[in-house]
């Protein structure tokens, strides 16, 4: 049995079969759906797991509980990767009290047609639930990243159950860096809701937290300031790493050549980090996280159908719908007969807050020529300021 404190047990599962998380995110190292049991005078189960793991999860519960029955099932988040087994759970343990807020219960009705909840406890922000030795306080986290999301805080073990916040891609039986996959997860899934994350971080700051138990990814128990600090930077749309991210699309390699020359020039000038990605070939969510990570972004793209190349369009929409802001952006455009890319790109960021455009826009007509080198020099110089 897998206990993480004297009374709290891990009963989650690892998924290595999944092709795309939430229908769009590549998860090369799989995914973990976390679930927990607090064993006290009263027993609380925190969340269920994905619908493909019913038997394994119910088995994990039996292994911890033996013949005892859970008193509460706490629903921190209704997205199906966590709630899919609610009905299966209640079929097995029909007396268990379902704990959620008003929005949770509306969503249960939306997701399940014939759910028969015998006992429910509707909680409000700040409500407490005593299990005996442990007392849980409910901390609402609306729109992090769904409206019904709530955290709970166990003041006995000083554990924060944080729903999807502080989660990451990757199963728990694979060792990998936390920040890279947590950042890709954060900006992909939660990125739009920075303001709401900031609000819940303020509430969390008032709590004495020794451990964070998220619904995905490892349990965080050391150096919590590191994780809280990153969440503060990410949700504040701040600069995490000094450097430049160059995102490009290229049809015949001319735009690529320009993007790579800019990278070389920035590095020669001592730029602390230059990340570069071919948007047609690299993971889009990885490029999205890099755009948010660095303070400076260069967009290098072709004019295409009097618009811009489709992968770049997709990329920019991913940024703007996630409230991309507070960054410096430079453009390298390429167009053979009527270059439009710079104009289209600027238009796409029109509603974004606090974007600084570089004075230099590199404009290539078809092939990359000697005259463009000067422009690239000027752009590199500006980005180094
Ligand atoms: Fe979620
Ligand atoms: Fe989730």
């Amino acid at each position: 049995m897998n206990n993480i404190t004297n009374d709290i047990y891990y009963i989650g599962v690892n998924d290595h079969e999944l092709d795309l998380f939430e229908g769009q995110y590549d998860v090369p190292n799989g995914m973990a759906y976390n679930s927990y049991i607090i064993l006290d005078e009263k027993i609380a189960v925190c969340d269920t797991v994905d619908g493909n793991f019913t038997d394994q999860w119910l088995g994990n519960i039996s292994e911890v509980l033996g013949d005892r029955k859970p008193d509460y099932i706490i629903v921190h988040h209704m997205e199906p990767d966590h709630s899919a087994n609610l009905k299966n759970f209640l079929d097995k343990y029909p007396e268990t009290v379902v704990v959620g807020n008003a929005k949770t219960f509306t969503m249960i009705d939306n997701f399940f047609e014939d759910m028969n909840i015998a006992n429910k406890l509707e909680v409000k922000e700040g409500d407490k639930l005593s299990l005996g030795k442990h007392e849980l306080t409910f901390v609402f986290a609306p729109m992090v990243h769904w409206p019904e999301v709530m955290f709970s805080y166990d003041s006995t073990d000083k554990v924060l159950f944080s729903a999807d916040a502080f989660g990451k891609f990757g199963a728990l039986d694979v060792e990998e860096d936390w920040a890279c996959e947590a950042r890709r997860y954060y900006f992909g899934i939660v990125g739009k809701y920075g303001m709401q994350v900031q609000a819940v971080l303020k509430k969390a700051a008032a709590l004495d937290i020794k451990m964070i138990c998220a619904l995905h990814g490892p349990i965080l128990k050391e150096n919590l300031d590191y994780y809280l600090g990153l969440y503060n930077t990410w949700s504040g749309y701040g600069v995490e790493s000094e450097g430049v991210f160059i995102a490009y699309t290229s049809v015949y390699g001319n735009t690529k050549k320009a993007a790579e020359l800019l990278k070389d020039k920035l590095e020669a000038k001592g730029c602390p980090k230059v990340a570069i990605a071919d948007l047609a070939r690299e993971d889009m969510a990885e490029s999205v996280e890099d755009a948010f990570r660095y303070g400076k972004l260069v967009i290098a793209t072709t004019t295409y159908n009097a618009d811009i190349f489709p992968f770049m369009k997709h990329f920019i929409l991913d940024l703007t719908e996630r409230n991309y802001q507070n960054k410096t952006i430079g453009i390298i455009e390429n167009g053979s007969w009527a270059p439009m890319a710079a104009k289209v790109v600027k238009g796409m960021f029109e509603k974004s807050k606090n974007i600084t455009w570089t004075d230099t826009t590199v404009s290539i007509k078809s092939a990359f020529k000697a005259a463009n080198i000067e422009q690239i020099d000027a752009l590199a110089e500006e980005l180094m300021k």
Side-chain angles (χ1 to χ4, degrees):
M1 277 193 290
N2 195 355
N3 57 318
I4 55 182
T5 71
N6 278 338
D7 308 313
I8 300 178
Y9 292 77
Y10 180 81
I11 52 162
V13 300
N14 287 317
D15 187 349
H16 286 288
E17 299 300 313
L18 186 68
D19 63 340
L20 292 175
F21 181 70
E22 289 187 2
Q24 59 172 321
Y25 298 102
D26 205 18
V27 280
N29 287 334
M31 198 67 200
Y33 313 111
N34 298 339
S35 170
Y36 305 91
I37 290 184
I38 308 168
L39 210 54
D40 201 341
E41 282 163 40
K42 300 277 188 189
I43 295 166
V45 174
C46 295
D47 301 286
T48 87
V49 298
D50 182 84
N52 289 322
F53 296 87
T54 309
D55 293 342
Q56 189 186 338
W57 178 67
L58 289 173
N60 290 350
I61 295 177
S62 307
E63 203 186 311
V64 175
L65 296 190
D67 292 334
R68 292 184 68 184
K69 289 195 166 47
D71 298 278
Y72 300 102
I73 172 111
I74 300 170
V75 183
H76 292 98
H77 183 20
M78 268 305 290
E79 202 161 4
D81 52 332
H82 310 294
S83 70
N85 281 298
L86 257 184
K87 183 167 188 315
N88 296 322
F89 175 88
L90 289 177
D91 285 346
K92 184 165 178 189
Y93 302 110
E95 300 303 316
T96 309
V97 179
V98 179
V99 182
N101 55 60
K103 292 195 169 91
T104 319
F105 289 108
T106 307
M107 283 197 185
I108 290 178
D109 290 339
N110 291 343
F111 273 108
F112 296 93
E113 197 170 6
D114 46 357
M115 181 85 103
N116 196 356
I117 300 180
N119 298 301
K120 68 162 101 164
L121 174 66
E122 190 181 305
V123 296
K124 295 197 173 60
E125 169 86 57
D127 279 1
K128 292 179 192 308
L129 176 66
S130 175
L131 303 174
K133 206 166 89 189
H134 295 259
E135 187 179 64
L136 296 174
T137 304
F138 297 98
V139 178
F140 284 20
M143 295 320 295
V144 178
H145 57 126
W146 276 28
E148 85 299 357
V149 173
M150 59 183 192
F151 295 179
S152 61
Y153 173 68
D154 171 11
S155 51
T156 307
D157 286 348
K158 307 200 184 320
V159 173
L160 182 71
F161 295 96
S162 65
D164 275 340
F166 301 98
K168 67 182 270 298
F169 296 122
L172 297 189
D173 51 4
V174 181
E175 282 273 342
E176 64 178 0
D177 177 59
W178 185 85
C180 184
E181 284 298 72
R183 187 190 303 106
R184 190 167 71 96
Y185 178 93
Y186 175 84
F187 284 111
I189 291 166
V190 192
K192 180 181 177 66
Y193 303 106
M195 222 167 69
Q196 290 83 350
V197 175
Q198 290 268 306
V200 79
L201 286 177
K202 283 207 183 81
K203 294 191 220 172
L207 303 169
D208 177 15
I209 301 168
K210 293 272 182 306
M211 196 183 286
I212 297 175
C213 290
L215 288 175
H216 305 284
I219 290 152
L220 308 175
K221 43 192 161 186
E222 270 142 43
N223 204 6
L224 291 188
D225 285 346
Y226 167 74
Y227 303 104
L228 289 161
L230 281 179
Y231 253 63
N232 190 35
T233 303
W234 296 344
S235 57
Y237 303 95
V239 176
E240 180 189 342
S241 308
E242 288 302 331
V244 178
F245 175 49
I246 305 169
Y248 73 88
T249 58
S250 193
V251 186
Y252 296 107
N254 287 301
T255 314
K256 177 180 181 178
K257 216 186 271 175
E260 285 176 342
L261 180 66
L262 177 65
K263 179 178 192 283
D264 293 345
K265 287 195 180 284
L266 285 167
E267 282 169 350
K269 287 179 196 293
C271 184
K273 170 80 193 178
V274 186
I276 188 164
D278 175 348
L279 296 181
R281 291 178 175 82
E282 280 170 44
D283 181 71
M284 190 59 85
E286 193 74 39
S287 295
V288 169
E289 72 161 277
D290 276 344
F292 281 97
R293 176 178 186 169
Y294 300 100
K296 291 167 184 172
L297 169 68
V298 173
I299 284 173
T301 193
T302 41
T303 303
Y304 190 82
N305 287 338
D307 202 316
I308 52 172
F309 206 61
F311 293 97
M312 184 57 80
K313 196 165 187 177
H314 177 178
F315 172 67
I316 295 173
L317 286 175
D318 273 351
L319 299 186
T320 54
E321 73 180 25
R322 286 167 176 74
N323 286 323
Y324 194 73
Q325 54 188 276
N326 303 341
K327 311 284 179 190
T328 297
I329 310 179
I331 299 175
I332 300 174
E333 68 168 357
N334 192 346
S336 288
W337 56 92
M340 292 281 295
K343 193 173 159 230
V344 173
V345 167
K346 284 192 177 171
M348 288 184 78
F349 284 99
E350 213 168 45
K351 293 199 180 113
S352 303
K353 278 190 272 178
N354 198 19
I355 299 294
T356 307
W357 296 98
T358 58
D359 293 332
T360 312
T361 293
V362 179
S363 197
I364 304 169
K365 279 254 176 74
S366 304
F368 181 71
K369 298 180 209 68
N372 297 126
I373 296 178
E374 257 172 64
Q375 291 181 311
I376 294 205
D377 257 328
L379 181 57
E381 198 57 51
E382 255 194 83
L383 290 167
M384 288 301 292
K385 269 186 223 150

